Amino acid sequence: RFRPLCSLLKRKIYMDDRDMRGFLVVIEGVDGTGKSTLLRRLQSYCEGSGLACVVSREPTNGVWGTRLRDSARTGRLPLEQELELFLLDRKEHVSELILPALRKGMVVLLDRYFISSAAYQGARGADPEEVLRRNEEFAPEPDLVFLLDCDPEQTLQRVRARGDVADEFEKLDALRRVRELFLSIQRPYIRVIDASVGAEQVAGQAQALLETLVSDRDKGS
């Protein structure tokens, strides 16, 4: 009983901080959907609007994240080990960057978060809802998740066009399953954006949603 109670208290702390904190905005989707491009556009929007922001990504460049990135090139780790490394990396990310920035009132822009874990490790056989549950015990809930959706065949063509080679996380058959799982996850903060259109249209939709989020918070303050 002690551990679930601790989890509830942690979640309550995050919720109680909500009116005083910044915004956690996450960009999700398979590689090649335009996540990096959108991240840069949103960063420029924040800076131009006078909103203090910090940009980061997962896996991080920390010890655990580096091991995960290495595995993408050399061969994926066993599922449970991969999940554990993502949890360790995310816990460090939350404590060292995400929560401190949110408590300073900053906009935190992330390239991937725990929705990716549910989709990618879910495609390997993990229960997506269990993955989400384990992450939601300690990781603050996003204010917005932009899920960039596109046919994996098109995204892989984009990856090749920019001169990259798909890594072990980005194989066509697996990506089709990952896409299905991304679209199956139901959370109120997820907004699906068609990423098959131009980058300007994607950025316009995302920026409008972010503007609404900030405006609604300002009106309620």
Side-chain angles (χ1 to χ4, degrees):
R1 292 182 181 179
F2 179 73
R3 290 184 64 186
L5 177 59
C6 285
S7 298
L8 287 172
L9 288 173
K10 289 176 184 175
R11 295 294 296 163
K12 185 177 187 302
I13 290 169
Y14 296 146
M15 291 173 69
D16 289 346
D17 282 348
R18 201 164 190 82
D19 289 338
M20 297 178 288
R21 70 179 179 90
F23 301 92
L24 179 54
V25 179
V26 180
I27 304 173
E28 294 281 17
V30 302
D31 197 23
T33 52
K35 291 185 287 75
S36 297
T37 300
L38 179 57
L39 196 70
R40 289 192 295 270
R41 298 292 181 89
L42 293 180
Q43 181 181 11
S44 295
Y45 162 73
C46 288
E47 292 171 347
S49 302
L51 297 170
C53 71
V54 60
V55 176
S56 192
R57 66 175 182 173
E58 292 191 356
T60 72
N61 291 324
V63 174
W64 316 116
T66 298
R67 287 180 62 184
L68 286 164
R69 290 185 183 281
D70 288 345
S71 75
R73 296 186 294 271
T74 60
R76 292 182 71 173
L77 300 165
L79 176 57
E80 284 304 319
Q81 186 178 355
E82 189 173 88
L83 273 170
E84 186 61 28
L85 286 178
F86 270 109
L87 287 168
L88 289 169
D89 186 50
R90 187 162 296 121
K91 286 176 180 177
E92 186 174 74
H93 200 201
V94 165
S95 66
E96 295 186 0
L97 185 144
I98 296 173
L99 278 180
L102 290 176
R103 286 169 178 157
K104 291 176 183 176
M106 302 179 74
V107 178
V108 180
L109 300 172
L110 293 186
D111 181 345
R112 298 198 185 284
Y113 197 37
F114 57 70
I115 302 296
S116 273
S117 293
Y120 277 89
Q121 279 66 64
R124 294 189 71 187
D127 179 353
E129 283 299 322
E130 175 63 13
V131 174
L132 290 171
R133 184 196 66 76
R134 292 175 68 183
N135 280 275
E136 289 169 342
E137 285 184 345
F138 69 89
E141 181 179 278
D143 294 283
L144 268 178
V145 169
F146 298 122
L147 174 53
L148 304 189
D149 179 53
C150 189
D151 188 306
E153 289 190 10
Q154 185 176 346
T155 64
L156 285 176
Q157 288 173 3
R158 292 177 179 178
V159 170
R160 297 186 189 103
R162 69 192 187 203
D164 291 338
V165 177
D167 62 31
E168 291 298 320
F169 285 82
E170 308 290 342
K171 303 298 184 182
L172 182 57
D173 289 343
L175 286 183
R176 288 178 173 142
R177 177 59 179 155
V178 170
R179 182 194 186 192
E180 290 176 1
L181 289 172
F182 266 132
L183 294 172
S184 73
I185 295 170
Q186 300 296 311
R187 291 294 186 275
Y189 46 73
I190 296 176
R191 301 291 182 270
V192 179
I193 296 179
D194 181 2
S196 66
V197 299
E200 290 292 338
Q201 290 175 265
V202 171
Q205 293 180 58
Q207 182 176 313
L209 288 165
L210 180 53
E211 286 176 346
T212 299
L213 175 69
V214 174
S215 176
D216 287 349
R217 177 80 62 84
D218 288 344
K219 290 175 183 176
S221 61

